[in-house]
Amino acid sequence: GAVVSQHPSRVICKSGTSVKIECRSLDFQATTMFWYRQFPKQSLMLMATSNEGSKATYEQGVEKDKFLINHASLTLSTLTVTSAHPEDSSFYICSARDWGAGGAYNEQFFGPGTRLTVL
Amino acid sequence: DAKTTQPPSMDCAEGRAANLPCNHSTISGNEYVYWYRQIHSQGPQYIIHGLKNNETNEMASLIITEDRKSSTLILPHATLRDTAVYYCMLGSSNTGKLIFGQGTTLQVKP
């Protein structure tokens, strides 16, 4: 299957700083990318949908000013956690989707995740 | 909220078939059934998806009931490396969103 990478895999930062996480589709063009958050022993929670060249769509309850998403190219989306606090510590996972020629429906490919720890 | 329900946990003996059920009674006409799994501290891995016909690939088989209100994922010969959380989800062809439920923790035992 297609490969999605995330960078960094782990990050530790001080409270109040901002952290940027990159999500890249390595061998296909992703017109749509999704960002998820996962707390320990819980399921993945969808945060936002990111479409190339347009503003992200956030799920209810997700602060768009705190979690800035940019999808500037067909292979890269970034999530910036602004003014991070300890409660933002979590596992952040992205996924990418290639709609394919004619809008064919394809599966999402997930990145390996980024473990964020805010001290 | 997730639109699927799965048992929280299941055990399976190594080498035997693992049958993981999923209920999705409110599925709509344009929604596909998707299965993913997540091994501890990794990103989810795609397994299989289907609309209404049964599907098979190198990893698993997906059996969807005729009324599409439930499905079963079959791992034909489970190995220890198949121990993971298995998620059954409905995916819309319009939005592409996948909403994760709590999944089934499958423990494959020697």
Side-chain angles (χ1 to χ4, degrees):
Chain A
V3 179
V4 175
S5 69
Q6 282 184 241
H7 177 80
S9 58
R10 279 178 192 275
V11 57
I12 301 173
C13 69
K14 292 183 179 180
S15 185
T17 61
S18 294
V19 175
K20 180 184 284 189
I21 302 169
E22 293 185 348
C23 177
R24 293 183 185 271
S25 57
L26 298 186
D27 49 4
F28 67 101
Q29 293 183 330
T31 50
T32 304
M33 289 183 173
F34 301 88
W35 286 96
Y36 296 81
R37 178 166 59 177
Q38 186 175 33
F39 293 109
K41 297 187 185 297
Q42 294 187 23
S43 185
L44 283 76
M45 186 194 80
L46 178 65
M47 299 175 67
T49 302
S50 169
N51 291 303
E52 186 267 337
S54 64
K55 290 185 179 180
T57 303
Y58 291 81
E59 295 298 303
Q60 190 173 10
V62 177
E63 299 175 60
K64 62 180 181 180
D65 294 331
K66 181 166 184 65
F67 299 101
L68 301 180
I69 291 171
N70 183 278
H71 192 160
S73 79
L74 287 172
T75 59
L76 173 64
S77 175
T78 59
L79 168 69
T80 301
V81 183
T82 63
S83 186
H85 289 93
E87 58 265 30
D88 298 322
S89 298
S90 188
F91 192 49
Y92 291 87
I93 306 170
C94 72
S95 69
R97 177 185 205 116
D98 176 11
W99 287 100
Y105 186 64
N106 294 319
E107 61 269 27
Q108 289 184 32
F109 299 100
F110 284 80
T114 296
R115 176 83 51 199
L116 170 63
T117 302
V118 185
L119 302 177
Chain B
D1 291 337
K3 297 169 67 174
T4 62
T5 55
Q6 301 175 251
S9 64
M10 293 181 64
D11 289 342
C12 177
E14 187 178 18
R16 304 298 293 270
N19 297 290
L20 290 86
C22 179
N23 287 320
H24 31 80
S25 58
T26 61
I27 190 171
S28 60
N30 68 345
E31 288 182 315
Y32 287 68
V33 179
Y34 274 73
W35 284 83
Y36 283 77
R37 70 181 182 185
Q38 185 179 29
I39 297 170
H40 184 62
S41 294
Q42 297 182 24
Q45 176 190 22
Y46 167 80
I47 301 174
I48 199 167
H49 75 282
L51 184 61
K52 56 182 179 181
N53 297 322
N54 298 336
E55 302 287 345
T56 296
N57 63 21
E58 64 278 4
M59 287 184 69
S61 294
L62 174 61
I63 308 298
I64 302 174
T65 57
E66 193 169 341
D67 63 7
R68 303 214 313 132
K69 294 185 177 181
S70 65
S71 60
T72 301
L73 177 75
I74 301 171
L75 307 179
H77 305 286
T79 71
L80 299 178
R81 288 181 296 180
D82 291 323
T83 292
V85 180
Y86 286 75
Y87 295 100
C88 166
M89 295 174 282
L90 303 183
S92 167
S93 59
N94 295 329
T95 66
K97 286 186 188 180
L98 291 176
I99 305 300
F100 283 76
Q102 295 307 306
T104 295
T105 299
L106 175 68
Q107 182 74 47
V108 181
K109 298 185 175 181

